């Protein structure tokens, strides 16, 4: 007589940033496919009502993060909010994940991540990637271009002003990043190893200049123009906000990174991972109405 067979439990997937736009969308998609992931949040009161497995931890809190990740097999690590100590937070969280026994980390990085990247925050992403590579855990890097959703926010009183020149950026919709991340996590949870040590570059369908962005916004009923600034003018115009130097550098280098050509890149990774063509800016604006 054969003994009864018991199914092994599904690998536990955890999602950070689950109260944010990307992490929240990923969590919803994984829940729809089942089983629901563990949500790692800083404030449990903000977790969605459907969540049954919620753990509280900040990236920089090693003990709390280690406890929050106990039993987790596959982890989505959405990059932390921009701050002066973001790299320290990232390294602490990666160390906690390794200590907790996490098998594989999917990290939302940036398209031009490099130690000398023009976009200053991309240097932090590169250093985070290096720490993750050295952690001993499996990893998948989702190198996102600038978010397509962010481009309309560059317009202030109908003017996009900055030193981007005629450079172009293959910006990607947050929705497409979330779909790609959910697809990778679902594959990993199912034992699919094709994403081991993989690097995906997530872009939209078209590289846009900021003049293109202004024209698309205008066509959508938001009259906008692009005004070229010099780097010196850009720093001067942003000095009035009283922001710390690292933040002003990030703001200005958003434009100089576009001018450099480093972001003038289109890939098919979103479609390969999701089976769907990525959204363009006009489509994204239309979906908002």
């Amino acid at each position: 007589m054969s003994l009864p067979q018991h199914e092994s439990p599904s690998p536990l997937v955890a999602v950070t940033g689950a109260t944010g736009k990307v992490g929240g969308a990923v969590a919803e998609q994984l829940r729809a496919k089942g089983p629901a992931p563990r949500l790692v949040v800083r404030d449990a009161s903000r977790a969605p009502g459907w969540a049954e497995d919620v753990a509280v931890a900040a990236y920089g809190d090693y003990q709390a993060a280690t406890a929050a990740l106990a039993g987790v097999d596959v982890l989505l690590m959405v990059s932390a909010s921009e701050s002066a100590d973001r790299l320290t937070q990232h390294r602490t969280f990666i160390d906690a994940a390794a200590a907790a026994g996490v098998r594989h980390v999917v990290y939302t990085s940036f398209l031009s991540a490099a130690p000398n990247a023009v976009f200053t925050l991309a240097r932090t992403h590169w250093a985070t990637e290096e720490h993750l590579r050295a952690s001993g855990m499996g990893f998948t890097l989702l190198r996102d271009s600038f978010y397509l959703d962010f481009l309309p926010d560059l317009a202030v009183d109908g003017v996009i002003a900055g030193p981007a020149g005629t450079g172009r950026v293959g910006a990607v919709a947050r929705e497409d990043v979330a779909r790609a991340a959910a697809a990778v996590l679902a594959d990993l949870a199912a034992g699919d190893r094709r994403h081991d040590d993989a690097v995906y570059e997530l872009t939209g369908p078209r590289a846009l200049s900021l003049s293109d962005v202004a024209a698309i916004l205008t066509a959508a009923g938001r009259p906008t123009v692009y005004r070229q600034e010099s780097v010196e003018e850009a720093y001067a115009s942003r000095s009035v906000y009283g922001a710390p130097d690292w933040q002003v550098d990030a703001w200005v280098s958003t434009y100089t990174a576009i001018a450099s050509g480093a972001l003038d890149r289109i890939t098919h990774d979103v479609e390969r991972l999701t089976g769907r063509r990525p959204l363009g800016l006009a489509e994204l604006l239309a979906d908002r109405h």
Side-chain angles (χ1 to χ4, degrees), residues 98-159:
V102 172
R103 176 175 59 83
H104 195 107
V105 178
V106 179
Y107 173 63
T108 58
S109 186
F110 188 73
L111 185 63
S112 67
N116 59 348
V118 177
F119 180 47
T120 54
L121 299 184
R123 302 169 193 172
T124 300
H125 284 292
W126 176 83
T128 300
E129 290 183 3
E130 291 298 291
H131 199 72
L132 183 54
R133 290 179 192 275
S135 70
M137 295 181 288
F139 64 86
T140 305
L141 305 177
L142 302 180
R143 287 183 172 174
D144 314 334
S145 185
F146 282 131
Y147 287 138
L148 202 60
D149 318 62
F150 162 71
L151 296 184
D153 297 336
L154 295 175
V156 178
D157 296 328
V159 178

Side-chain angles (χ1 to χ4, degrees), residues 27-274:
E28 289 282 0
Q29 290 177 46
L30 292 176
R31 175 203 176 207
K33 298 175 183 177
R38 174 178 297 171
L39 307 187
V40 180
V41 299
R42 288 178 298 174
D43 181 356
S45 69
R46 295 183 57 205
W50 56 262
E52 296 181 357
D53 188 355
V54 177
V56 177
Y59 276 4
D61 187 334
Y62 178 84
Q63 289 187 324
T66 303
L69 297 175
V72 170
D73 297 288
V74 179
L75 170 66
L76 174 64
M77 181 181 170
V78 178
S79 56
S81 300
E82 298 171 4
S83 66
D85 68 340
R86 180 160 72 163
L87 179 55
T88 299
Q89 292 183 47
H90 283 178
R91 286 172 169 164
T92 300
F93 192 72
I94 289 169
D95 291 345
V102 172
R103 176 175 59 83
H104 195 107
V105 178
V106 179
Y107 173 63
T108 58
S109 186
F110 188 73
L111 185 63
S112 67
N116 59 348
V118 177
F119 180 47
T120 54
L121 299 184
R123 302 169 193 172
T124 300
H125 284 292
W126 176 83
T128 300
E129 290 183 3
E130 291 298 291
H131 199 72
L132 183 54
R133 290 179 192 275
S135 70
M137 295 181 288
F139 64 86
T140 305
L141 305 177
L142 302 180
R143 287 183 172 174
D144 314 334
S145 185
F146 282 131
Y147 287 138
L148 202 60
D149 318 62
F150 162 71
L151 296 184
D153 297 336
L154 295 175
V156 178
D157 296 328
V159 178
I160 300 173
T166 58
R168 297 177 179 274
V169 55
V172 63
R174 285 192 184 99
E175 182 179 336
D176 287 319
V177 172
R179 278 199 290 263
V184 170
L185 291 165
D187 284 345
L188 289 167
D192 190 329
R193 305 298 297 273
R194 81 181 97 168
H195 306 298
D196 286 4
D197 301 345
V199 179
Y200 298 111
E201 297 183 334
L202 306 185
T203 75
R206 176 188 169 199
L208 302 170
S209 69
L210 294 189
S211 293
D212 293 330
V213 173
I216 293 169
L217 288 171
T218 299
R222 295 178 51 179
T224 305
V225 297
Y226 167 57
R227 187 178 73 230
Q228 166 71 9
E229 286 182 319
S230 67
V231 172
E232 294 74 20
E233 289 170 335
Y235 273 99
S237 64
R238 287 152 179 82
S239 65
V240 298
Y241 297 105
D245 290 346
W246 70 265
Q247 191 165 35
V248 178
D249 288 340
W251 290 343
V252 175
S253 66
T254 297
Y255 295 88
T256 55
I258 295 173
S260 74
L263 303 177
D264 188 358
R265 182 162 175 76
I266 295 299
T267 76
H268 298 287
D269 285 352
V270 167
E271 189 165 3
R272 290 192 188 103
L273 292 171
T274 68

